[in-house]
Amino acid sequence: MPGTSRDLTRLRTAITAFFALDGFLFAGWVVRIPAIKHQTGASAGDLGLALLGVSAGAVLTMTLTGRLCRRYGSHRVTVVCAVLLSLSVALPPLTHSVLALGAVLLIFGAAYGGINVAFNSAAVDLVTALRRPIMPSFHAAFSLGGMVGAGLGGLVAGSLSPTLHLAGLAVVGLLVTAVAAPTLLRHEPPSAPTRLRHEPPSTPAPAPSAPETSRRPRGRTRGLVIVFGLIAGCTAYGEGAMADWGALHLEQDLDASSGVAALGYACFALAMTIGRLSGTALLERLGHGRTVVAGGATAAAGMLLGSLAPSLWAALLGFAVTGLGLANLFPVAVERAGTLAGPSGVATASTFGYGGMLLGPPAIGFMADWLSLPVALTSVAVLAAIATLIGVATRRAVPN
C-alpha cells in the first residue's frame, strides 16, 4: 500500500496515463468508422446494429467489473482491461462482414466498459487518500487523450489504412500499459486517508474509506448511489447529444458551412476539457454539492442559448458554456458514488452514465422528427436542470 507522498504521486501519474490512453484509443477508433463501414459494405442501419456491440459490451461488463475489482483489486483489473482494450482496437479493420464487426466490437466495448469502472475505482481510492478533490483532473486527461487521438486520426487518415492506423494504436496502448502498469501492480489501492505535509489543514476530507470488500450499496446508500448515477446519466446524455447533433443543428438550422459547423463540438469539447482542468480548484473552493448545482445551472443556460439562439456565434458561445457547465458533473457523480459504495458504486454510476450517452442521440432524433431539432436539443438543458435539482437535494447527503 502506498504510504508516502512520492508513492501517491507516482500512483496518480499512472492512473492519469490510463485515463488518457482510454480516450486516445477510443477516439482513434471513432475516426476510422467511415472507412470500416466502406470496407465491410455495411448500410447505415447495419453499421448502427454493429456499433451496438460497443454499447452492449460496455454495459454488460460494468457491473461484473465492479465485482472483479472487489475481489482482485482495481489496479490489477485496470491493467488487464488496458491490455484487452489495446489489442481489441486493432480488430475492426480485420473484419469483412457486419456480423464479424459486431462481434469484435462487443469485445472492444467490454474492455472499454471494464477499464472505465476499474480506473475510476482506483481514482476514487486515491482521491480519498490524498484528501483532495482531484477527480476532474483524471477526466481531463481522458478528454485530452480523446482530442489527441481524434487529431492524429484525422492527420493520418489519408496516408494510412485503418489496419495500419489501428495496429499502431494497439502498439502505443501496449507500450503505455507496459510503462504505467508496474506502478499500479506494485501498490494496493490506498484504503485510508493520508494527509500530505503540503496540504492545508483546512482542506475538507471525504469520509474515511472502508475496505473495498465491505463497501457494498445497502438501503439508503444504494438509493444515494442511484441518485448520483442519475446525475451521471443526465450529464452523459448531453455529451452524446452534442457529439451527434450539435454540428447538424448549426448547419441545418443556422446555415453554417460544414467546416464552421464542426466548430460546434470542438468548442464544446475544448470548454469541457478546460473545465475539468480547473475542476480541482473549483471543488476545493465550492465543494461537491455547490459545484454540481453551479455546473448544472450553467449547462442548462448554455444549452438554451445554444439550441434556441438565432445567430451562429451565439449558438457557438452556448455550446462552449454548456461544456463548461457539464465538465465536472460526471467526475463528481462517479467520485461520490465510489465514496459511498466502492467499485460497486462506480459501476452503477458508470452504467447510468453510459446509458444516458446511449439514450441521448436517438431520443433527440425522435423528438426532432416530432417537433424540431432546436426544440429537441433543449432536452439537454432540461436534464441539466434536473441534475441541478438533484444536487440541491443531496448537498448534505454525502460529506464534502
Side-chain angles (χ1 to χ4, degrees), residues 198-231:
H198 63 270
E199 181 184 320
S202 60
T203 301
S209 173
E212 285 190 273
T213 54
S214 65
R215 283 187 292 168
R216 298 169 183 263
R218 291 190 179 94
R220 181 171 177 270
T221 296
R222 183 184 295 275
L224 286 171
V225 167
I226 292 174
V227 164
F228 289 120
L230 290 175
I231 293 177

PDB file of all heavy atoms in Angstrom, residues 198-231:
ATOM      1  N   HIS A 198       2.235  19.099   2.580  1.00  0.00           N
ATOM      2  CA  HIS A 198       1.958  20.393   1.964  1.00  0.00           C
ATOM      3  C   HIS A 198       0.467  20.736   1.957  1.00  0.00           C
ATOM      4  O   HIS A 198       0.069  21.791   1.515  1.00  0.00           O
ATOM      5  CB  HIS A 198       2.469  20.410   0.524  1.00  0.00           C
ATOM      6  CG  HIS A 198       1.790  19.406  -0.351  1.00  0.00           C
ATOM      7  ND1 HIS A 198       2.260  18.127  -0.513  1.00  0.00           N
ATOM      8  CD2 HIS A 198       0.647  19.488  -1.099  1.00  0.00           C
ATOM      9  CE1 HIS A 198       1.463  17.464  -1.342  1.00  0.00           C
ATOM     10  NE2 HIS A 198       0.478  18.267  -1.709  1.00  0.00           N
ATOM     11  N   GLU A 199      -0.384  19.836   2.444  1.00  0.00           N
ATOM     12  CA  GLU A 199      -1.830  20.048   2.376  1.00  0.00           C
ATOM     13  C   GLU A 199      -2.290  20.942   3.510  1.00  0.00           C
ATOM     14  O   GLU A 199      -1.966  20.718   4.673  1.00  0.00           O
ATOM     15  CB  GLU A 199      -2.549  18.700   2.465  1.00  0.00           C
ATOM     16  CG  GLU A 199      -4.063  18.826   2.366  1.00  0.00           C
ATOM     17  CD  GLU A 199      -4.700  17.472   2.549  1.00  0.00           C
ATOM     18  OE1 GLU A 199      -4.173  16.477   2.040  1.00  0.00           O
ATOM     19  OE2 GLU A 199      -5.732  17.414   3.237  1.00  0.00           O
ATOM     20  N   PRO A 200      -3.042  21.992   3.217  1.00  0.00           N
ATOM     21  CA  PRO A 200      -3.525  22.860   4.290  1.00  0.00           C
ATOM     22  C   PRO A 200      -4.467  22.127   5.220  1.00  0.00           C
ATOM     23  O   PRO A 200      -5.266  21.306   4.797  1.00  0.00           O
ATOM     24  CB  PRO A 200      -4.277  23.986   3.539  1.00  0.00           C
ATOM     25  CG  PRO A 200      -4.314  23.606   2.117  1.00  0.00           C
ATOM     26  CD  PRO A 200      -3.456  22.414   1.903  1.00  0.00           C
ATOM     27  N   PRO A 201      -4.391  22.398   6.501  1.00  0.00           N
ATOM     28  CA  PRO A 201      -5.231  21.693   7.469  1.00  0.00           C
ATOM     29  C   PRO A 201      -6.714  21.887   7.213  1.00  0.00           C
ATOM     30  O   PRO A 201      -7.515  21.088   7.629  1.00  0.00           O
ATOM     31  CB  PRO A 201      -4.831  22.323   8.816  1.00  0.00           C
ATOM     32  CG  PRO A 201      -3.529  22.999   8.582  1.00  0.00           C
ATOM     33  CD  PRO A 201      -3.484  23.354   7.141  1.00  0.00           C
ATOM     34  N   SER A 202      -7.083  22.991   6.536  1.00  0.00           N
ATOM     35  CA  SER A 202      -8.500  23.274   6.339  1.00  0.00           C
ATOM     36  C   SER A 202      -9.111  22.517   5.180  1.00  0.00           C
ATOM     37  O   SER A 202     -10.301  22.614   4.933  1.00  0.00           O
ATOM     38  CB  SER A 202      -8.697  24.776   6.081  1.00  0.00           C
ATOM     39  OG  SER A 202      -7.968  25.166   4.925  1.00  0.00           O
ATOM     40  N   THR A 203      -8.302  21.756   4.435  1.00  0.00           N
ATOM     41  CA  THR A 203      -8.846  21.044   3.285  1.00  0.00           C
ATOM     42  C   THR A 203      -9.896  20.048   3.734  1.00  0.00           C
ATOM     43  O   THR A 203      -9.640  19.205   4.581  1.00  0.00           O
ATOM     44  CB  THR A 203      -7.734  20.279   2.555  1.00  0.00           C
ATOM     45  OG1 THR A 203      -6.748  21.206   2.146  1.00  0.00           O
ATOM     46  CG2 THR A 203      -8.284  19.540   1.339  1.00  0.00           C
ATOM     47  N   PRO A 204     -11.113  20.133   3.181  1.00  0.00           N
ATOM     48  CA  PRO A 204     -12.145  19.180   3.600  1.00  0.00           C
ATOM     49  C   PRO A 204     -11.810  17.778   3.169  1.00  0.00           C
ATOM     50  O   PRO A 204     -11.290  17.561   2.086  1.00  0.00           O
ATOM     51  CB  PRO A 204     -13.410  19.687   2.876  1.00  0.00           C
ATOM     52  CG  PRO A 204     -12.901  20.498   1.729  1.00  0.00           C
ATOM     53  CD  PRO A 204     -11.590  21.060   2.170  1.00  0.00           C
ATOM     54  N   ALA A 205     -12.074  16.825   4.010  1.00  0.00           N
ATOM     55  CA  ALA A 205     -11.728  15.437   3.715  1.00  0.00           C
ATOM     56  C   ALA A 205     -12.968  14.600   3.539  1.00  0.00           C
ATOM     57  O   ALA A 205     -13.954  14.781   4.241  1.00  0.00           O
ATOM     58  CB  ALA A 205     -10.890  14.850   4.865  1.00  0.00           C
ATOM     59  N   PRO A 206     -12.908  13.647   2.608  1.00  0.00           N
ATOM     60  CA  PRO A 206     -14.023  12.722   2.487  1.00  0.00           C
ATOM     61  C   PRO A 206     -14.102  11.820   3.711  1.00  0.00           C
ATOM     62  O   PRO A 206     -13.166  11.721   4.496  1.00  0.00           O
ATOM     63  CB  PRO A 206     -13.682  11.908   1.232  1.00  0.00           C
ATOM     64  CG  PRO A 206     -12.558  12.641   0.550  1.00  0.00           C
ATOM     65  CD  PRO A 206     -11.878  13.422   1.623  1.00  0.00           C
ATOM     66  N   ALA A 207     -15.208  11.159   3.860  1.00  0.00           N
ATOM     67  CA  ALA A 207     -15.334  10.202   4.954  1.00  0.00           C
ATOM     68  C   ALA A 207     -14.311   9.100   4.787  1.00  0.00           C
ATOM     69  O   ALA A 207     -13.970   8.732   3.677  1.00  0.00           O
ATOM     70  CB  ALA A 207     -16.747   9.617   4.952  1.00  0.00           C
ATOM     71  N   PRO A 208     -13.770   8.562   5.889  1.00  0.00           N
ATOM     72  CA  PRO A 208     -12.790   7.502   5.774  1.00  0.00           C
ATOM     73  C   PRO A 208     -13.300   6.367   4.916  1.00  0.00           C
ATOM     74  O   PRO A 208     -14.461   5.986   4.978  1.00  0.00           O
ATOM     75  CB  PRO A 208     -12.583   7.059   7.234  1.00  0.00           C
ATOM     76  CG  PRO A 208     -12.983   8.246   8.052  1.00  0.00           C
ATOM     77  CD  PRO A 208     -14.065   8.925   7.291  1.00  0.00           C
ATOM     78  N   SER A 209     -12.369   5.835   4.122  1.00  0.00           N
ATOM     79  CA  SER A 209     -12.744   4.782   3.169  1.00  0.00           C
ATOM     80  C   SER A 209     -12.765   3.430   3.855  1.00  0.00           C
ATOM     81  O   SER A 209     -11.816   3.041   4.519  1.00  0.00           O
ATOM     82  CB  SER A 209     -11.739   4.766   2.018  1.00  0.00           C
ATOM     83  OG  SER A 209     -11.975   3.688   1.172  1.00  0.00           O
ATOM     84  N   ALA A 210     -13.833   2.706   3.667  1.00  0.00           N
ATOM     85  CA  ALA A 210     -13.913   1.347   4.190  1.00  0.00           C
ATOM     86  C   ALA A 210     -13.227   0.410   3.243  1.00  0.00           C
ATOM     87  O   ALA A 210     -13.013   0.731   2.089  1.00  0.00           O
ATOM     88  CB  ALA A 210     -15.379   0.953   4.357  1.00  0.00           C
ATOM     89  N   PRO A 211     -12.814  -0.768   3.680  1.00  0.00           N
ATOM     90  CA  PRO A 211     -12.212  -1.722   2.773  1.00  0.00           C
ATOM     91  C   PRO A 211     -13.140  -2.010   1.609  1.00  0.00           C
ATOM     92  O   PRO A 211     -14.358  -2.034   1.754  1.00  0.00           O
ATOM     93  CB  PRO A 211     -12.023  -2.979   3.652  1.00  0.00           C
ATOM     94  CG  PRO A 211     -11.998  -2.457   5.053  1.00  0.00           C
ATOM     95  CD  PRO A 211     -12.889  -1.271   5.066  1.00  0.00           C
ATOM     96  N   GLU A 212     -12.538  -2.265   0.427  1.00  0.00           N
ATOM     97  CA  GLU A 212     -13.329  -2.448  -0.778  1.00  0.00           C
ATOM     98  C   GLU A 212     -14.322  -3.593  -0.638  1.00  0.00           C
ATOM     99  O   GLU A 212     -15.410  -3.549  -1.191  1.00  0.00           O
ATOM    100  CB  GLU A 212     -12.405  -2.716  -1.968  1.00  0.00           C
ATOM    101  CG  GLU A 212     -11.695  -1.475  -2.456  1.00  0.00           C
ATOM    102  CD  GLU A 212     -10.990  -1.739  -3.766  1.00  0.00           C
ATOM    103  OE1 GLU A 212      -9.846  -2.184  -3.719  1.00  0.00           O
ATOM    104  OE2 GLU A 212     -11.574  -1.506  -4.829  1.00  0.00           O
ATOM    105  N   THR A 213     -13.957  -4.609   0.081  1.00  0.00           N
ATOM    106  CA  THR A 213     -14.851  -5.757   0.171  1.00  0.00           C
ATOM    107  C   THR A 213     -16.108  -5.449   0.963  1.00  0.00           C
ATOM    108  O   THR A 213     -17.108  -6.129   0.832  1.00  0.00           O
ATOM    109  CB  THR A 213     -14.115  -6.931   0.856  1.00  0.00           C
ATOM    110  OG1 THR A 213     -13.592  -6.483   2.099  1.00  0.00           O
ATOM    111  CG2 THR A 213     -13.002  -7.461  -0.028  1.00  0.00           C
ATOM    112  N   SER A 214     -16.063  -4.390   1.805  1.00  0.00           N
ATOM    113  CA  SER A 214     -17.222  -4.104   2.636  1.00  0.00           C
ATOM    114  C   SER A 214     -18.080  -2.980   2.098  1.00  0.00           C
ATOM    115  O   SER A 214     -19.169  -2.754   2.586  1.00  0.00           O
ATOM    116  CB  SER A 214     -16.770  -3.742   4.059  1.00  0.00           C
ATOM    117  OG  SER A 214     -16.044  -2.541   4.057  1.00  0.00           O
ATOM    118  N   ARG A 215     -17.566  -2.237   1.083  1.00  0.00           N
ATOM    119  CA  ARG A 215     -18.330  -1.101   0.587  1.00  0.00           C
ATOM    120  C   ARG A 215     -19.307  -1.559  -0.480  1.00  0.00           C
ATOM    121  O   ARG A 215     -19.095  -1.404  -1.657  1.00  0.00           O
ATOM    122  CB  ARG A 215     -17.390  -0.023   0.043  1.00  0.00           C
ATOM    123  CG  ARG A 215     -16.728   0.790   1.114  1.00  0.00           C
ATOM    124  CD  ARG A 215     -15.947   1.926   0.526  1.00  0.00           C
ATOM    125  NE  ARG A 215     -14.787   1.448  -0.210  1.00  0.00           N
ATOM    126  CZ  ARG A 215     -14.064   2.218  -1.008  1.00  0.00           C
ATOM    127  NH1 ARG A 215     -14.401   3.465  -1.216  1.00  0.00           N
ATOM    128  NH2 ARG A 215     -13.006   1.730  -1.633  1.00  0.00           N
ATOM    129  N   ARG A 216     -20.415  -2.120  -0.044  1.00  0.00           N
ATOM    130  CA  ARG A 216     -21.463  -2.543  -0.963  1.00  0.00           C
ATOM    131  C   ARG A 216     -22.692  -1.678  -0.690  1.00  0.00           C
ATOM    132  O   ARG A 216     -23.033  -1.416   0.454  1.00  0.00           O
ATOM    133  CB  ARG A 216     -21.813  -4.015  -0.752  1.00  0.00           C
ATOM    134  CG  ARG A 216     -20.654  -4.960  -1.027  1.00  0.00           C
ATOM    135  CD  ARG A 216     -21.002  -6.354  -0.547  1.00  0.00           C
ATOM    136  NE  ARG A 216     -19.903  -7.279  -0.727  1.00  0.00           N
ATOM    137  CZ  ARG A 216     -19.762  -8.103  -1.742  1.00  0.00           C
ATOM    138  NH1 ARG A 216     -20.655  -8.073  -2.714  1.00  0.00           N
ATOM    139  NH2 ARG A 216     -18.746  -8.924  -1.830  1.00  0.00           N
ATOM    140  N   PRO A 217     -23.400  -1.253  -1.751  1.00  0.00           N
ATOM    141  CA  PRO A 217     -24.544  -0.387  -1.536  1.00  0.00           C
ATOM    142  C   PRO A 217     -25.681  -1.112  -0.837  1.00  0.00           C
ATOM    143  O   PRO A 217     -26.127  -2.142  -1.289  1.00  0.00           O
ATOM    144  CB  PRO A 217     -24.937   0.029  -2.955  1.00  0.00           C
ATOM    145  CG  PRO A 217     -24.348  -1.001  -3.851  1.00  0.00           C
ATOM    146  CD  PRO A 217     -23.136  -1.516  -3.154  1.00  0.00           C
ATOM    147  N   ARG A 218     -26.145  -0.572   0.306  1.00  0.00           N
ATOM    148  CA  ARG A 218     -27.272  -1.154   1.008  1.00  0.00           C
ATOM    149  C   ARG A 218     -28.208  -0.044   1.439  1.00  0.00           C
ATOM    150  O   ARG A 218     -27.782   1.015   1.866  1.00  0.00           O
ATOM    151  CB  ARG A 218     -26.797  -1.922   2.250  1.00  0.00           C
ATOM    152  CG  ARG A 218     -26.019  -3.193   1.948  1.00  0.00           C
ATOM    153  CD  ARG A 218     -25.817  -3.998   3.242  1.00  0.00           C
ATOM    154  NE  ARG A 218     -25.096  -5.221   2.991  1.00  0.00           N
ATOM    155  CZ  ARG A 218     -23.777  -5.362   3.106  1.00  0.00           C
ATOM    156  NH1 ARG A 218     -23.055  -4.325   3.431  1.00  0.00           N
ATOM    157  NH2 ARG A 218     -23.185  -6.522   2.878  1.00  0.00           N
ATOM    158  N   GLY A 219     -29.519  -0.307   1.365  1.00  0.00           N
ATOM    159  CA  GLY A 219     -30.510   0.602   1.897  1.00  0.00           C
ATOM    160  C   GLY A 219     -30.396   2.004   1.333  1.00  0.00           C
ATOM    161  O   GLY A 219     -30.414   2.239   0.141  1.00  0.00           O
ATOM    162  N   ARG A 220     -30.266   2.968   2.256  1.00  0.00           N
ATOM    163  CA  ARG A 220     -30.186   4.374   1.870  1.00  0.00           C
ATOM    164  C   ARG A 220     -28.974   4.638   0.989  1.00  0.00           C
ATOM    165  O   ARG A 220     -29.032   5.456   0.061  1.00  0.00           O
ATOM    166  CB  ARG A 220     -30.127   5.240   3.133  1.00  0.00           C
ATOM    167  CG  ARG A 220     -30.061   6.731   2.854  1.00  0.00           C
ATOM    168  CD  ARG A 220     -30.242   7.503   4.153  1.00  0.00           C
ATOM    169  NE  ARG A 220     -30.119   8.936   3.949  1.00  0.00           N
ATOM    170  CZ  ARG A 220     -28.972   9.602   4.028  1.00  0.00           C
ATOM    171  NH1 ARG A 220     -27.858   8.950   4.329  1.00  0.00           N
ATOM    172  NH2 ARG A 220     -28.929  10.912   3.843  1.00  0.00           N
ATOM    173  N   THR A 221     -27.875   3.932   1.268  1.00  0.00           N
ATOM    174  CA  THR A 221     -26.675   4.113   0.453  1.00  0.00           C
ATOM    175  C   THR A 221     -26.940   3.742  -0.997  1.00  0.00           C
ATOM    176  O   THR A 221     -26.539   4.451  -1.923  1.00  0.00           O
ATOM    177  CB  THR A 221     -25.527   3.248   1.009  1.00  0.00           C
ATOM    178  OG1 THR A 221     -25.188   3.708   2.317  1.00  0.00           O
ATOM    179  CG2 THR A 221     -24.297   3.348   0.121  1.00  0.00           C
ATOM    180  N   ARG A 222     -27.627   2.631  -1.215  1.00  0.00           N
ATOM    181  CA  ARG A 222     -27.954   2.226  -2.584  1.00  0.00           C
ATOM    182  C   ARG A 222     -28.779   3.308  -3.284  1.00  0.00           C
ATOM    183  O   ARG A 222     -28.556   3.619  -4.454  1.00  0.00           O
ATOM    184  CB  ARG A 222     -28.730   0.900  -2.575  1.00  0.00           C
ATOM    185  CG  ARG A 222     -29.039   0.367  -3.968  1.00  0.00           C
ATOM    186  CD  ARG A 222     -29.897  -0.883  -3.883  1.00  0.00           C
ATOM    187  NE  ARG A 222     -29.188  -1.976  -3.231  1.00  0.00           N
ATOM    188  CZ  ARG A 222     -28.364  -2.810  -3.867  1.00  0.00           C
ATOM    189  NH1 ARG A 222     -28.141  -2.662  -5.158  1.00  0.00           N
ATOM    190  NH2 ARG A 222     -27.771  -3.777  -3.204  1.00  0.00           N
ATOM    191  N   GLY A 223     -29.725   3.893  -2.547  1.00  0.00           N
ATOM    192  CA  GLY A 223     -30.537   4.952  -3.140  1.00  0.00           C
ATOM    193  C   GLY A 223     -29.705   6.153  -3.536  1.00  0.00           C
ATOM    194  O   GLY A 223     -29.897   6.739  -4.609  1.00  0.00           O
ATOM    195  N   LEU A 224     -28.754   6.535  -2.677  1.00  0.00           N
ATOM    196  CA  LEU A 224     -27.895   7.673  -2.996  1.00  0.00           C
ATOM    197  C   LEU A 224     -26.993   7.369  -4.192  1.00  0.00           C
ATOM    198  O   LEU A 224     -26.746   8.246  -5.024  1.00  0.00           O
ATOM    199  CB  LEU A 224     -27.044   8.044  -1.774  1.00  0.00           C
ATOM    200  CG  LEU A 224     -27.791   8.751  -0.645  1.00  0.00           C
ATOM    201  CD1 LEU A 224     -26.891   8.872   0.584  1.00  0.00           C
ATOM    202  CD2 LEU A 224     -28.255  10.126  -1.104  1.00  0.00           C
ATOM    203  N   VAL A 225     -26.494   6.141  -4.274  1.00  0.00           N
ATOM    204  CA  VAL A 225     -25.676   5.756  -5.423  1.00  0.00           C
ATOM    205  C   VAL A 225     -26.473   5.906  -6.714  1.00  0.00           C
ATOM    206  O   VAL A 225     -25.980   6.415  -7.728  1.00  0.00           O
ATOM    207  CB  VAL A 225     -25.162   4.307  -5.267  1.00  0.00           C
ATOM    208  CG1 VAL A 225     -24.578   3.787  -6.577  1.00  0.00           C
ATOM    209  CG2 VAL A 225     -24.102   4.247  -4.167  1.00  0.00           C
ATOM    210  N   ILE A 226     -27.731   5.485  -6.690  1.00  0.00           N
ATOM    211  CA  ILE A 226     -28.585   5.617  -7.871  1.00  0.00           C
ATOM    212  C   ILE A 226     -28.811   7.090  -8.203  1.00  0.00           C
ATOM    213  O   ILE A 226     -28.819   7.493  -9.371  1.00  0.00           O
ATOM    214  CB  ILE A 226     -29.917   4.881  -7.654  1.00  0.00           C
ATOM    215  CG1 ILE A 226     -29.674   3.365  -7.603  1.00  0.00           C
ATOM    216  CG2 ILE A 226     -30.920   5.225  -8.755  1.00  0.00           C
ATOM    217  CD1 ILE A 226     -30.891   2.547  -7.260  1.00  0.00           C
ATOM    218  N   VAL A 227     -28.971   7.911  -7.169  1.00  0.00           N
ATOM    219  CA  VAL A 227     -29.158   9.348  -7.394  1.00  0.00           C
ATOM    220  C   VAL A 227     -27.937   9.937  -8.102  1.00  0.00           C
ATOM    221  O   VAL A 227     -28.061  10.704  -9.065  1.00  0.00           O
ATOM    222  CB  VAL A 227     -29.416  10.071  -6.058  1.00  0.00           C
ATOM    223  CG1 VAL A 227     -29.225  11.578  -6.213  1.00  0.00           C
ATOM    224  CG2 VAL A 227     -30.832   9.774  -5.574  1.00  0.00           C
ATOM    225  N   PHE A 228     -26.736   9.576  -7.634  1.00  0.00           N
ATOM    226  CA  PHE A 228     -25.533  10.075  -8.300  1.00  0.00           C
ATOM    227  C   PHE A 228     -25.403   9.489  -9.701  1.00  0.00           C
ATOM    228  O   PHE A 228     -24.885  10.138 -10.617  1.00  0.00           O
ATOM    229  CB  PHE A 228     -24.296   9.783  -7.455  1.00  0.00           C
ATOM    230  CG  PHE A 228     -24.217  10.622  -6.209  1.00  0.00           C
ATOM    231  CD1 PHE A 228     -24.186  10.030  -4.959  1.00  0.00           C
ATOM    232  CD2 PHE A 228     -24.203  11.999  -6.288  1.00  0.00           C
ATOM    233  CE1 PHE A 228     -24.141  10.804  -3.812  1.00  0.00           C
ATOM    234  CE2 PHE A 228     -24.153  12.790  -5.148  1.00  0.00           C
ATOM    235  CZ  PHE A 228     -24.121  12.187  -3.902  1.00  0.00           C
ATOM    236  N   GLY A 229     -25.881   8.257  -9.885  1.00  0.00           N
ATOM    237  CA  GLY A 229     -25.916   7.690 -11.222  1.00  0.00           C
ATOM    238  C   GLY A 229     -26.812   8.491 -12.148  1.00  0.00           C
ATOM    239  O   GLY A 229     -26.503   8.668 -13.337  1.00  0.00           O
ATOM    240  N   LEU A 230     -27.934   8.998 -11.612  1.00  0.00           N
ATOM    241  CA  LEU A 230     -28.824   9.832 -12.424  1.00  0.00           C
ATOM    242  C   LEU A 230     -28.130  11.118 -12.857  1.00  0.00           C
ATOM    243  O   LEU A 230     -28.316  11.586 -13.987  1.00  0.00           O
ATOM    244  CB  LEU A 230     -30.096  10.154 -11.632  1.00  0.00           C
ATOM    245  CG  LEU A 230     -31.046   8.978 -11.388  1.00  0.00           C
ATOM    246  CD1 LEU A 230     -32.195   9.408 -10.479  1.00  0.00           C
ATOM    247  CD2 LEU A 230     -31.598   8.456 -12.714  1.00  0.00           C
ATOM    248  N   ILE A 231     -27.329  11.703 -11.964  1.00  0.00           N
ATOM    249  CA  ILE A 231     -26.565  12.901 -12.343  1.00  0.00           C
ATOM    250  C   ILE A 231     -25.610  12.556 -13.480  1.00  0.00           C
ATOM    251  O   ILE A 231     -25.486  13.304 -14.467  1.00  0.00           O
ATOM    252  CB  ILE A 231     -25.795  13.461 -11.139  1.00  0.00           C
ATOM    253  CG1 ILE A 231     -26.773  14.002 -10.088  1.00  0.00           C
ATOM    254  CG2 ILE A 231     -24.830  14.561 -11.575  1.00  0.00           C
ATOM    255  CD1 ILE A 231     -26.101  14.504  -8.823  1.00  0.00           C
TER     256      ILE A 231
END
